[in-house]
Amino acid sequence: MNLSPRTARLAFVATMALPWLAAPGTGAAQPVPAAAPTAAPRIGLALSGGGARGLAHVGVLKVLEELRVPIHCVTGTSMGAIVGATFAAGTPPAEMEKAVLAADWAEIFRDRPPRDEISVRRKIDDYKTLFAPEFGVKDGGLALPKGVIAGVSIESFFRVLAAPAFGTYDFDKLPIPFRALATDIETGEAVVIDRGNVAQAMRASMSVPGAIAPVEIDGRLLVDGGIANNLPIDEARKLCADVVIAVNISTPPMKRSEITSALSVVGQLINFLGKQTVDDQIKRLGSRDVLIAPELGNISSSTFDRSADAIRIGEEATRALAESLKRYSLPPAQFAALRAKQVAERRELGTVDEIRFEGLERTNPEVLRSLVRSQPGEPLTEEKVGADLRRIFGRGGFEGISYHIVGDAGPRAMVIEPREKSWGPNFLRFGLGLASDFSGENQFNALVQYRKTWLNRLGGEWLTELQVGQNTFVHSEFYQPVNEAGQWFVAPYFTVGQVTRGVFIDDDKVADYKVRLAQGGVDAGAVLGTWGQFRVGPVWTRVDANVDTGSPVLPSVKENTAGLRAVLFVDQTDNAFFAREGFGVSASAYAAMESFGSARDYQRVEALFRGAKSWGPHTLNLSVSGGTDLGSDMPPYEAFMLGGPLRLSAYRVGQFTGREFAFGRLMYYNRILPLPDLLGSGVYAGGSLEVGHIRDRFDGRPSPGTLWSASVFLGADTFAGPGYLGVGGSESGNWSVYLLLGVP
């Protein structure tokens, strides 16, 4: 079976979504209908869970509307809760269908906000290619998140779906009374959610254990309701129903041939648990009730790209039971009057008198307030509030965020509830970089990062990084905002390390040049919103550089340097390495001055621009960079370098060094295979055209002139960083094969 990009991106989540899997469809067989009662019965709708299969519920609702079958209350589990809550909130099935078909489900299941809305410090981490799993350091041990997906994007989407119900606390007061089913992960008990935030109730009902983080409501930690009650017929009966229309879209248990891993074994066990609840509920149907069981075939819980097919099959299954359903039809005028009361217009959020934060223990709410663009007294919109929540979440440190409006009868307030990471406030991450040219030149670096957050009320952070391998260093920085808005900061730091650089004559490596340094400085800086940052400050360095092995082509240097440095970083790309849209600028300048205690005066300036533009699946990525010493006495350990993968791919890493360089690269790539969110974003096929020039070599040899190179590659954006396997060639006949994983 060929998988669409959207399907493949969700494949792993689908594997974890096995609590959605329950009993197989029971077909169209129905109990023998009894004679219609004299008085019109109250009809309850019970909708089962089933992931993407649950979108068949939308088709069922469309046909019930066509047949003029009234619905007086709704209960739902998992996807059934999502569709059911949307319907109960007053959204017509036709509008629901439109929203479902237009949804980008891959992005909905992705937690991270758009990259242009995350904090600058988190963007910088992207270029360090740290592994995606983040460990918490808490109470003397390591802790992990409760779910792979926090569910922030999911909850945001649900808020839009259930917009007409926004502000309705009591689910009995929705246009159609509603109940969502969840499971208490501590006790295993079914939990009936009958009040609160509708979007939060929807998310709790479908929080697949291990995949989507649980939701805490009223002190109970809630997960997917399919574990405890995947088809809530009994709750529909309790809520209002004389007659129940039950829709079962559960996935059948896996066959032996499909049980191929430990995950699938566990999933099958959960399958049987869910099946028991469905079977038990179906036994409770009476002769007046109707069971609709769409035959969804190979539509799985993850195939959201087949939403249209699922809706169509739901329609067909319901029309097949039209004769059983028509006995409950209302006359056109009566049905129209009922639906006029049940269909609600999308409520405007209006204005509020106050915006406040609740639920914070470590975080200073005034720091977060600077990220909120919505203001008291101004009309609120779901779009503006959603952007506020994404900016707060993108700052880091939170496992979820939601909001609600209180005080309809008096002063109104918007209450924002960021949920601090329960495994924080200190975090440990790991990274790995590998590179090989398959000719004996290999690089390896392993990185450990430890970050302590919220050291004070202004949001001070202490970052320490240790890297070992080809380049070894310890770097530590204390980042201290100087006001609650966080626009200004100071950052003292120190670095101790060793860098090894190759020395080449033509294509031959003749020596290893080792640069040992100890460096300290203090930066003062400004945060440019989510765009970037600028920092400037004095820096002092002790350098010991010498040829470790090979020919002494470069001089040994032991000296102190001191001066001022300035760094500008701007990043508005949507991906650090495989950007499809956006641009980035980085620039640095350093002036060593004898007046600061430096052994020599010199300057070093370097700048980079990159931008990406896409047309459908096709992307062009342009990068232009350059550097110069402005004609000063720059030492050899500060040399600019060209050569290596995607930086003149046909040549060795760092093969060309000098006092001045210019480089340009045009890349094309096309995502040929999506990856599950846990593994990355996708596999790419592409190529590059590269041109570079370098002059004033430190070994006195003439400049090689303008160098051209090109490469073709397979690339991957993975949880461990970028990966490339490529072949590079040049007009002079040089060629190379390279493997690059992460940032070596």
Side-chain angles (χ1 to χ4, degrees), residues 412-492:
R412 302 182 81 228
M414 180 170 74
V415 180
I416 300 175
E417 297 178 289
R419 298 184 291 278
E420 296 168 329
K421 289 180 176 178
S422 58
W423 59 98
N426 305 319
F427 305 100
L428 187 68
R429 296 183 68 183
F430 300 91
L432 185 67
L434 299 170
S436 176
D437 62 4
F438 298 98
S439 62
E441 191 69 25
N442 302 305
Q443 295 186 32
F444 167 83
N445 291 302
L447 178 67
V448 180
Q449 181 191 82
Y450 180 56
R451 187 189 303 270
K452 294 176 68 70
T453 68
W454 289 105
L455 298 175
N456 50 55
R457 294 289 290 172
L458 295 180
E461 292 188 356
W462 185 12
L463 175 70
T464 301
E465 295 175 332
L466 168 65
Q467 181 172 292
V468 295
Q470 182 84 2
N471 300 319
T472 299
F473 66 81
V474 175
H475 173 78
S476 191
E477 177 187 85
F478 183 76
Y479 180 90
Q480 179 60 63
V482 299
N483 61 352
E484 290 178 332
Q487 304 103 321
W488 309 97
F489 66 89
V490 294

Side-chain angles (χ1 to χ4, degrees), residues 129-428:
T129 60
L130 296 161
F131 294 168
E134 176 189 68
F135 296 88
V137 181
K138 185 177 181 181
D139 300 327
L142 298 181
L144 285 170
K146 297 183 183 72
V148 176
I149 300 171
V152 173
S153 297
I154 297 170
E155 191 166 332
S156 177
F157 179 67
F158 294 168
R159 280 198 305 270
V160 176
L161 281 181
F166 193 89
T168 303
Y169 180 80
D170 187 344
F171 294 175
D172 284 338
K173 295 181 179 179
L174 293 171
I176 303 174
F178 169 71
R179 299 290 187 268
L181 273 291
T183 303
D184 187 324
I185 193 61
E186 183 178 6
T187 65
E189 297 173 346
V191 177
V192 180
I193 307 174
D194 62 358
R195 63 192 64 240
N197 184 316
V198 174
Q200 195 176 55
M202 296 159 79
R203 191 172 83 75
S205 184
M206 55 78 67
S207 293
V208 181
I212 302 174
V215 177
E216 184 174 344
I217 298 178
D218 295 334
R220 307 184 78 169
L221 205 58
L222 305 182
V223 298
D224 196 315
I227 297 173
N229 188 348
N230 201 40
L231 184 59
I233 293 169
D234 54 348
E235 296 303 327
R237 200 92 65 192
K238 293 175 187 177
L239 183 56
C240 82
D242 302 312
V243 170
V244 174
I245 298 175
V247 187
N248 179 27
I249 45 79
S250 306
T251 304
M254 291 177 285
K255 298 178 181 178
R256 180 173 177 176
S257 59
E258 299 173 309
I259 305 173
T260 58
S261 66
L263 277 176
S264 59
V265 171
V266 174
Q268 186 76 326
L269 293 175
I270 299 175
N271 247 2
F272 290 129
L273 183 63
K275 182 180 184 301
Q276 291 174 10
T277 70
V278 172
D279 290 345
D280 179 66
Q281 289 292 311
I282 290 176
K283 290 176 183 177
R284 304 184 188 194
L285 293 173
S287 60
R288 300 169 64 193
D289 303 321
V290 180
L291 175 64
I292 303 172
E295 296 290 345
L296 291 160
N298 61 0
I299 297 178
S300 72
S301 60
S302 66
T303 49
F304 286 93
D305 60 312
R306 296 190 62 187
S307 298
D309 292 336
I311 293 171
R312 173 183 54 77
I313 293 170
E315 292 179 32
E316 293 171 352
T318 310
R319 288 198 178 93
L321 298 171
E323 292 305 314
S324 296
L325 293 166
K326 282 180 180 178
R327 55 184 165 159
Y328 302 120
S329 297
L330 294 179
Q334 188 178 347
F335 182 78
L338 175 66
R339 291 297 290 147
K341 295 179 181 178
Q342 293 179 337
V343 174
E345 297 291 330
R346 175 170 177 166
R347 294 176 59 179
E348 297 297 328
L349 300 182
T351 62
V352 295
D353 304 291
E354 178 190 7
I355 297 175
R356 66 174 186 260
F357 292 84
E358 291 183 357
L360 297 173
E361 296 180 4
R362 303 182 294 268
T363 309
N364 181 356
E366 296 306 312
V367 172
L368 303 183
R369 196 176 300 277
S370 65
L371 302 174
V372 178
R373 304 288 184 264
S374 303
Q375 295 296 322
E378 298 180 356
L380 300 177
T381 65
E382 182 65 45
E383 292 73 20
K384 185 185 289 186
V385 174
D388 290 337
L389 300 189
R390 290 194 299 272
R391 278 191 294 273
I392 295 171
F393 186 70
R395 188 187 188 280
F398 304 108
E399 60 182 88
I401 187 168
S402 60
Y403 82 102
H404 60 278
I405 306 292
V406 298
D408 282 339
R412 302 182 81 228
M414 180 170 74
V415 180
I416 300 175
E417 297 178 289
R419 298 184 291 278
E420 296 168 329
K421 289 180 176 178
S422 58
W423 59 98
N426 305 319
F427 305 100
L428 187 68

